[in-house]
Amino acid sequence: MSSQPTYPRFTLGESLTPEQLDFFREYGFLHFRAFIEPTTVQSLLRASQDVQQQWLTNEVKKVNGVPIKYGKDVDGTPIVQRFAFASHHSPVLHQFLQDPRFRALFPLLEAPGGRVGENEKDGLVINHYVNVPGSEFSQMGWHTDSLRDVFYGKKIGPMLNVGVHLDGTPATNGGLRLIPGTHRQGLRDILFRKKYYKDVGPDEHEIAVETEPGDLTVHDGRMWHRVAQSPLVGEVSRRRVMYVPIIAGKYEPKHDNSPTPFYLRFLHLVK
């Protein structure tokens, strides 16, 4: 792939096609158009706002050991900018994760015991990016999702990061950037190819993932990726994405007394 290629957009059915499987093995990601309808997008947005109001009212600082990231909206009002385990606080979000099409992605793990990690890792994460004064979340620097395993001295386990995009994001408005093929890199490159979260600039090999509301993306947890800051300011910079891990291996649910993972102690540095 070149630095700014066109790449295929697929439709997710009850099972993956051979073309989709081959593309993922080669490049480490897939992009599905219109995974959910506009009415479902609006339902999920309302559910996230309900959870936000609960947490603002109750001054929730952590959920299952994971810090909640707060910031300011375009009008200066407080908002949640990074939710964790959001489906634990919303029947609508919980029910959404029961969609059987998520199971169609399990073969990408190439490991037995695939499952939606609603109770593991950080659960259902909702990222709310907006580029305004007072925002605490307008971009996210280069990282892989496998670092958490390395921190805990564990073998890197199979993981997919599945994103449900609730806003349209053309490349001109920032958004997800991936380096195709880096899911096949060795441990050295996982650790040292980039400075985690500090490196925020473009890479000559990256591609921009341009989404429409309701699209679904999936990328391998070993892949280098970032979220580029929107060059726009205000309402037009708003991007909301729900992420859920699909994982295999030992079941390791989080609970109210779970300690804060070491890597999340630096979440405040991500702005």
Side-chain angles (χ1 to χ4, degrees):
M1 281 191 166
S2 62
S3 59
Q4 285 299 331
T6 57
Y7 63 86
R9 277 69 164 178
F10 300 104
T11 299
L12 183 59
E14 294 181 358
S15 61
L16 295 170
T17 67
E19 180 187 10
Q20 293 164 0
L21 288 165
D22 288 344
F23 187 90
F24 186 85
R25 290 188 186 106
E26 179 69 19
Y27 298 112
F29 76 99
L30 290 167
H31 183 171
F32 299 98
R33 286 291 193 208
F35 176 71
I36 53 176
E37 299 291 330
T39 53
T40 304
V41 170
Q42 293 305 312
S43 175
L44 296 174
L45 285 171
R46 287 193 298 270
S48 71
Q49 291 162 1
D50 289 344
V51 176
Q52 173 176 273
Q53 189 55 55
Q54 292 175 38
W55 291 0
L56 286 168
T57 299
N58 296 322
E59 299 182 348
V60 174
K61 300 294 191 296
K62 295 181 181 181
V63 177
N64 293 344
V66 179
I68 305 306
K69 194 173 185 68
Y70 292 90
K72 300 292 185 181
D73 208 342
V74 294
D75 59 358
T77 59
I79 57 173
V80 177
Q81 296 204 260
R82 187 182 190 271
F83 301 70
F85 295 101
S87 66
H88 288 199
H89 298 261
S90 166
V92 172
L93 298 177
H94 169 72
Q95 186 59 40
F96 174 69
L97 295 185
Q98 314 313 308
D99 190 315
R101 290 176 296 172
F102 286 119
R103 297 183 60 85
L105 301 173
F106 292 0
L108 299 175
L109 293 166
E110 297 186 338
R115 60 189 180 274
V116 174
E118 185 176 9
N119 305 316
E120 300 172 84
K121 307 291 186 182
D122 296 350
L124 177 64
V125 169
I126 305 175
N127 289 336
H128 186 167
Y129 301 96
V130 61
N131 189 19
V132 293
S135 171
E136 292 292 318
F137 214 21
S138 63
Q139 65 181 329
M140 184 176 287
W142 286 107
H143 63 286
T144 76
D145 300 317
S146 295
L147 185 65
R148 65 189 73 195
D149 288 344
V150 176
F151 264 126
Y152 289 106
K154 299 190 301 184
K155 180 180 178 181
I156 292 175
M159 175 187 170
L160 308 173
N161 208 347
V162 179
V164 180
H165 298 261
L166 304 178
D167 293 288
T169 306
T172 52
N173 197 20
L176 182 62
R177 304 291 191 267
L178 304 169
I179 304 180
T182 51
H183 64 301
R184 293 182 275 110
Q185 66 193 336
L187 181 60
R188 178 180 176 85
D189 282 339
I190 287 176
L191 292 175
F192 301 116
R193 179 170 180 149
K194 302 280 189 184
K195 293 179 182 177
Y196 272 79
Y197 301 111
K198 289 186 178 181
D199 286 346
V200 297
D203 185 282
E204 62 177 332
H205 301 295
E206 74 178 26
I207 65 166
V209 178
E210 298 187 285
T211 60
E212 297 175 358
D215 283 4
L216 181 139
T217 59
V218 53
H219 66 261
D220 191 296
R222 296 166 292 184
M223 170 177 280
W224 280 99
H225 58 288
R226 71 181 177 108
V227 177
Q229 185 178 58
S230 174
L232 308 176
V233 177
E235 183 62 38
V236 290
S237 72
R238 191 183 308 280
R239 305 188 306 275
R240 290 159 292 189
V241 187
M242 299 184 357
Y243 281 104
V244 59
I246 288 181
I247 53 182
K250 183 182 177 182
Y251 181 57
E252 297 180 308
K254 297 287 185 66
H255 49 77
D256 288 345
N257 296 320
S258 291
T260 298
F262 179 78
Y263 61 90
L264 284 174
R265 296 177 187 177
F266 303 99
L267 185 62
H268 66 283
L269 299 176
V270 178
K271 297 189 179 187

